[in-house]
Amino acid sequence: MALGVPRLGVGIVRYDIVNAALWWDAKAAAIFGDDGSLPPLQQWRQRVHPEDIDVVRRMFGDMTGSVGAECVFRIVMADRSTRYILTRSIDVAVDDSGVPTELTGVVIELGHLTGRDAQLASLLDRVGLGFLALDDDLRIIYANSGCLRHVRRSREELLGRVVTDVLPETRGSYFDALCRKVLATGREHTTRVDSLYSPGMTIEVTAAADSGALVIHFRDVTAEVTAQQQADEAHALLLHEARHDSLTGLLNRAAITEHLQRLFDPGVGPAVVLFLDVDGFKEVNDTRGHRVGDRILQAVSEHLSSAMVAPAVVGRLGGDEFVAILPEAGDIDVENVVTLMVSSITTPIDVGDELLVVTISVGMARSTSAYTVDGLLHHADTALYAAKRLGGNTAVWHR
């Protein structure tokens, strides 16, 4: 199975303790800059930074005792540049007497860094990552501690097992789809999904073909996703507040004016504009107080909104003045909307200590009757005052 060009900095190494020989795959060779001039073990020894030789020796000693030994050390390349390498043991083979004979590990290039702070920062960045490597048969050949913690399995349970057998939750999940996608394309793919093992956690999973293996790594992005959601919600709220009236929730003056301006764009069909206000509102507001006045405006707004059917919109200009826009509305449509508005608003409004009944007056004008927004509103306003002169609770067309 061809897995394509390696994309991730993960290599496999095996050390034959009996014969003191080292083997590494193509990725590990590339990480260490193997030019073929020396056997891998000599190349390794030549590359290790002099100050880190003791660290590496201790790591190899630890590896003979248990799986999971790891360390970070520096290597010096032919061009004298320095790389930081993370090495971790993943398997220890023993003879019949239980004596270690071969060590298998992974090497991961942490980057071209300088200084201890950079080393520690890079290492800490990796702590939050889970790594999983699969062979051609999708058997697990490596799982780091982050992966073990996440899937709640031991390394002994995972290594050498087909991933869907030992982790049945992955069968038929995003994991299957991601692996198939990488195998089909030979390219790296990333997805963000809900964790199969930790409810409420969102993880970012990346899979890639790497030196004859399928390498998967994931990180917890729950906080990042939550922060983005909160930012999106805050942004949406700001946009909403910028375009909606704080008291009634209707479109505000600026937003309804934008809708009116669009009526004069080229190619836009005719529309009907309604200018509305509450009959006798000033007297009620002055005698009963602003609390009652606000409750009336809120109730009227609810009735106006319920009479709107998209793409019709309604907004509050200020005070008790409202504007509704009915795009491409015929006479029957306008009559139905206005009748619904006028009749529904007469429903008694609960203002806390009593029920009040209010009415509205409506002035109607067609967008084809004017050439500007101000002219159109003036026509509708003129019709509104004609309705007032008739005693209110009615609607009048601009003539």
Side-chain angles (χ1 to χ4, degrees):
M1 175 175 56
L3 295 179
V5 178
R7 296 292 298 275
L8 300 180
V10 180
I12 305 293
V13 297
R14 293 192 183 93
Y15 178 56
D16 182 341
I17 300 174
V18 177
N19 298 302
L22 184 72
W23 171 92
W24 52 29
D25 66 3
K27 174 52 85 173
I31 290 174
F32 280 80
D34 183 4
D35 58 8
S37 61
L38 295 172
L41 185 58
Q42 288 182 252
Q43 190 79 73
W44 177 297
R45 288 170 175 166
Q46 188 179 79
R47 291 283 186 243
V48 174
H49 193 288
E51 295 178 7
D52 293 344
I53 291 175
D54 288 341
V55 173
V56 174
R57 283 175 178 165
R58 284 196 300 272
M59 184 270 297
F60 272 104
D62 293 340
M63 286 175 67
T64 61
S66 65
V67 170
E70 68 180 25
C71 74
V72 173
F73 61 94
R74 292 164 292 176
I75 60 174
V76 181
M77 307 305 291
D79 62 0
R80 311 311 298 168
S81 63
T82 301
R83 296 181 183 179
Y84 281 87
I85 305 297
L86 170 66
T87 298
R88 184 184 181 95
S89 64
I90 61 174
D91 187 54
V92 180
V94 297
D95 61 18
D96 294 338
S97 303
V99 177
T101 59
E102 185 180 79
L103 307 177
T104 302
V106 293
V107 290
I108 302 170
E109 180 184 350
L110 297 182
H112 300 274
L113 306 171
T114 56
R116 181 167 178 77
D117 289 343
Q119 173 188 357
L120 292 176
S122 185
L123 180 58
L124 289 174
D125 182 59
R126 296 281 176 169
V127 169
L129 289 174
F131 287 94
L132 189 67
L134 313 177
D135 66 11
D136 287 2
D137 298 319
L138 299 185
R139 294 182 183 277
I140 299 172
I141 58 176
Y142 173 65
N144 77 337
S145 57
C147 177
L148 300 177
R149 288 193 301 269
H150 186 70
V151 302
R152 299 179 177 86
R153 301 288 200 284
S154 68
R155 184 169 283 104
E156 290 72 23
E157 290 178 278
L158 297 183
L159 291 181
R161 302 280 302 280
V162 174
V163 64
T164 52
D165 289 344
V166 70
L167 299 175
E169 302 87 353
T170 63
R171 186 179 291 112
S173 71
Y174 76 87
F175 188 89
D176 268 355
L178 191 62
C179 290
R180 285 196 299 270
K181 196 171 185 179
V182 172
L183 294 176
T185 64
R187 296 194 300 272
E188 177 180 301
H189 293 280
T190 299
T191 184
R192 285 190 173 185
V193 293
D194 294 332
S195 168
L196 297 172
Y197 299 93
S198 299
M201 177 188 289
T202 302
I203 57 176
E204 182 178 85
V205 186
T206 300
D210 190 349
S211 303
L214 197 61
V215 178
I216 298 100
H217 68 84
F218 56 86
R219 65 188 182 99
D220 180 0
V221 293
T222 307
E224 181 181 331
V225 170
T226 300
Q228 185 60 52
Q229 289 175 341
Q230 291 173 341
D232 291 343
E233 290 170 1
H235 181 63
L237 179 60
L238 287 175
L239 289 178
H240 184 274
E241 291 178 344
R243 296 181 57 79
H244 289 79
D245 177 59
S246 59
L247 176 64
T248 65
L250 298 181
L251 294 175
N252 59 18
R253 175 184 287 271
I256 201 67
T257 299
E258 285 182 17
H259 281 275
L260 289 168
Q261 289 170 339
R262 292 178 197 146
L263 298 180
F264 296 93
D265 289 344
V268 176
V272 172
V273 173
L274 311 180
F275 206 139
L276 317 94
D277 74 3
V278 180
D279 297 328
F281 177 77
K282 184 177 185 304
E283 180 182 352
V284 173
N285 200 44
D286 290 344
T287 58
R288 302 296 182 94
H290 293 298
R291 181 187 65 80
V292 172
D294 288 349
R295 177 67 194 107
I296 290 173
L297 293 177
Q298 290 170 338
V300 168
S301 297
E302 292 169 5
H303 289 298
L304 294 181
S305 293
S306 65
M308 295 294 102
V309 177
V313 294
V314 62
R316 181 188 177 207
L317 288 187
D320 66 323
E321 294 181 332
F322 301 87
V323 170
I325 303 172
L326 312 180
E328 301 182 7
D331 290 347
I332 295 178
D333 297 324
V334 175
E335 182 179 338
N336 289 339
V337 170
V338 172
T339 299
L340 179 59
M341 285 179 173
V342 172
S343 61
S344 67
I345 286 173
T346 58
T347 302
I349 300 171
D350 184 355
V351 296
D353 53 358
E354 62 179 314
L355 297 176
L356 293 181
V357 176
V358 300
T359 59
I360 61 170
S361 294
V362 184
M364 301 176 289
R366 300 188 187 281
S367 61
T368 52
S369 69
Y371 298 101
T372 65
V373 170
D374 289 342
L376 180 57
L377 286 178
H378 176 70
H379 289 172
D381 192 28
T382 300
L384 171 64
Y385 278 91
K388 291 287 190 184
R389 287 194 296 272
L390 294 176
N393 194 30
T394 189
V396 172
W397 281 101
H398 169 72
R399 302 298 180 188

